[in-house]
Amino acid sequence: MANIVVVGMQWGDEAKGKVVDYLAQDADYVVRYNGGNNAGHTVVIGNEIYKFHTVPVGVLNDGVTAVVTDGVVFDPSVFVAELKALRERGIPADRIRISRNVHIIMPWHRLLDNLEENSKGDKKIGTTGRGIGPAYADKMSRIGIRMAEFINPDRFKLRLSECIKRVNVLITKVYGSDPLDEEAVYTEYSAYAREIAPFVCDTSTLLYEASSECANIVFEGAHGSLLDIDHGTYPFATSSHCVAGGACIGTGIGPTMIDRVIGVAKAYTTRVGAGPFPTELRDEIGDRIREQGNEYGTTTGRPRRCGWFDSVAVRFTTRVNGVSAIAVTLLDVLTGFDKLKICTHYLIDGKEVRDFPTDVEELQKAVPVYEELPGWSENISDAKTFGDLPHTARNYVNRIAELVEAPICMLGVGRRRDQSIILDAEMLQM
């Protein structure tokens, strides 16, 4: 029996959904603990592709309870649409549970997200426009609407009236946009509330009792550690705790109840939106990685910036997450390159730097120093064991483990659930 946190080690999009899905086959609970529908987790089972934004990946497995906890900001319209799509594909949703304490993303959060981003001109941070930041800002300002209020018609009507009066002043006076219609918002969102209410419960108690009874729990992190509001490349970050510690903050589960942390890192590096990216390739190699890896956002469809593997960054996230082992994904994307590069350290103002600087002014000056390794041309998508891989692919993986100072427990060699090589089954055992 185990409680395992799955966390992204880069700037998100590391294929955490694939790793969570693998673990979820033996889990009792899969828990989303941070972020909102700006996250996108994709799972491929056979020829079926599933894309998740709010519902935890574990919903695909019979007997798994999928839980959305306090640390998440929750868009009712997105959840209801996702619920409908799952049911249309024959996937039952009766084992979904949502915390009474999640904060609700309202229409003004999405509107303000876009108005604020557009007002920044060339200083935009690359927000998805989903209202995540403004929802978290209201949470921290103690003026947000929580689920317990949202599903109570009288309380919701009162809170909506309070909020919309304040927000409409900001929308009209500061941004010169049209005010929101209070009655229209109430009508639309009350319908969502009625549909969502049966899923709502005290998830902190639910998970504590489950853990006390030795249930298997997978904590499904959203985004990547380098986007963490505290430990990421601020201000080019998201608004939640993306590191493994966020699993405790966002759920109410104490740190002594976490058994292992599995970090997930691509065999290369990507980033969406603005912000420093030392190993970015703005050339035909970067374009080739993007096309071979289909590096376009699950949520936004935006092309991802691509570059070589950055061991400085992943060694940093290994430390701040207390990672037990790493799953390296999308190794197959690098097939066909004669030479591969791994960043071993930076030069900043001519000085060798081996520790990742989270101050963006320093990071923007970082010049990556690379170690070059031979690539491989063989198709590795059908490999079942580490020994099935070309020796050059094995050397590449082993060098990553050495540089980031963490063992590798799993390799992804394709998008499907079955395209996984397990290097340490005990580390992944629930």
Side-chain angles (χ1 to χ4, degrees), residues 31-37 53-54 67-75 98-99 101-105 132 135-136 139 220 222 240 250-251:
V31 183
R32 266 290 301 273
Y33 62 81
N34 74 302
N37 59 292
H53 299 282
T54 300
V67 187
V68 180
T69 59
D70 305 27
V72 173
V73 287
F74 185 90
D75 190 320
I98 304 167
S99 172
N101 294 338
V102 296
H103 277 251
I104 305 300
I105 299 172
I132 309 302
Y136 274 116
K139 175 179 179 175
E220 177 184 349
S240 64
T251 64

Side-chain angles (χ1 to χ4, degrees), residues 113-175:
D113 204 354
N114 287 291
L115 290 172
E116 289 171 4
E117 180 79 344
N118 291 334
S119 72
K120 294 173 182 175
D122 59 3
K123 294 185 178 181
K124 293 178 181 179
I125 63 171
T127 175
T128 61
R130 299 305 198 266
I132 309 302
Y136 274 116
D138 279 1
K139 175 179 179 175
M140 296 303 176
S141 297
R142 298 176 296 281
I143 56 175
I145 297 174
R146 300 210 292 183
M147 181 63 79
E149 298 169 313
F150 180 63
I151 61 174
N152 182 304
D154 294 334
R155 293 178 70 188
F156 177 50
K157 192 172 186 65
L158 177 62
R159 290 303 325 284
L160 176 64
S161 182
E162 293 171 352
C163 291
I164 215 160
K165 285 182 174 63
R166 172 183 56 82
V167 168
N168 275 342
V169 171
L170 181 61
I171 291 170
T172 58
K173 303 298 184 183
V174 176
Y175 293 107

Side-chain angles (χ1 to χ4, degrees), residues 128-423:
T128 61
R130 299 305 198 266
I132 309 302
Y136 274 116
D138 279 1
K139 175 179 179 175
M140 296 303 176
S141 297
R142 298 176 296 281
I143 56 175
I145 297 174
R146 300 210 292 183
M147 181 63 79
E149 298 169 313
F150 180 63
I151 61 174
N152 182 304
D154 294 334
R155 293 178 70 188
F156 177 50
K157 192 172 186 65
L158 177 62
R159 290 303 325 284
L160 176 64
S161 182
E162 293 171 352
C163 291
I164 215 160
K165 285 182 174 63
R166 172 183 56 82
V167 168
N168 275 342
V169 171
L170 181 61
I171 291 170
T172 58
K173 303 298 184 183
V174 176
Y175 293 107
S177 190
D178 295 330
L180 293 169
D181 185 321
E182 180 179 337
E183 191 58 40
V185 172
Y186 181 75
T187 299
E188 179 185 355
Y189 278 71
S190 291
Y192 297 144
R194 288 191 293 273
E195 189 161 357
I196 292 167
F199 299 100
V200 177
C201 72
D202 177 353
T203 58
S204 177
T205 299
L206 173 72
L207 293 173
Y208 176 80
E209 291 177 349
S211 183
S212 298
E213 294 168 2
C214 297
N216 291 324
I217 305 175
V218 179
F219 296 88
E220 177 184 349
H223 312 299
S225 298
L226 296 175
L227 292 174
D228 185 90
I229 188 63
D230 287 324
H231 304 288
T233 50
Y234 185 91
F236 302 99
T238 192
S239 303
S240 64
H241 298 288
C242 308
V243 294
C248 297
I249 295 170
T251 64
I253 290 293
T256 57
M257 301 176 79
I258 302 299
D259 297 299
R260 294 191 293 280
V261 176
I262 304 300
V264 186
K266 285 178 176 173
Y268 48 97
T269 311
T270 64
R271 179 165 199 167
V272 173
F277 182 176
T279 65
E280 182 175 11
L281 295 167
R282 299 183 179 90
D283 57 16
E284 65 278 3
I285 296 177
D287 293 340
R288 182 178 169 188
I289 292 173
R290 182 181 303 109
E291 295 310 312
Q292 290 188 186
N294 190 30
E295 291 293 354
Y296 297 88
T298 301
T299 298
T300 64
R302 290 185 294 183
R304 296 175 185 141
R305 301 156 63 191
C306 298
W308 295 122
F309 187 87
D310 188 338
S311 72
V312 182
V314 178
R315 188 166 58 249
F316 165 73
T317 55
T318 296
R319 174 172 62 81
V320 297
N321 285 294
V323 162
S324 309
I326 294 176
V328 174
T329 60
L330 291 99
L331 184 65
D332 55 301
V333 172
L334 297 180
T335 296
F337 288 89
D338 293 331
K339 299 291 183 182
L340 301 173
K341 294 182 180 181
I342 298 176
C343 172
T344 58
H345 60 281
Y346 305 145
L347 293 178
I348 299 179
D349 295 330
K351 180 181 178 182
E352 183 177 303
V353 174
R354 292 186 177 271
D355 293 322
F356 186 78
T358 54
D359 179 76
V360 296
E361 293 295 325
E362 285 293 296
L363 192 58
Q364 284 170 342
K365 295 188 291 183
V367 177
V369 178
Y370 291 111
E371 180 177 305
E372 190 172 88
L373 292 89
W376 61 90
S377 58
E378 298 92 331
N379 181 358
I380 65 172
S381 61
D382 292 326
K384 301 301 181 186
T385 69
F386 194 58
D388 291 339
L389 296 174
H391 74 278
T392 49
R394 298 197 301 270
N395 290 342
Y396 182 78
V397 171
N398 287 333
R399 187 56 178 146
I400 286 176
E402 290 172 357
L403 289 168
V404 304
E405 300 174 4
I408 295 174
C409 61
M410 179 179 181
L411 294 174
V413 293
R415 300 184 70 196
R416 298 194 316 270
R417 174 190 279 180
D418 63 320
Q419 290 177 303
S420 303
I421 297 174
I422 307 305
L423 303 183

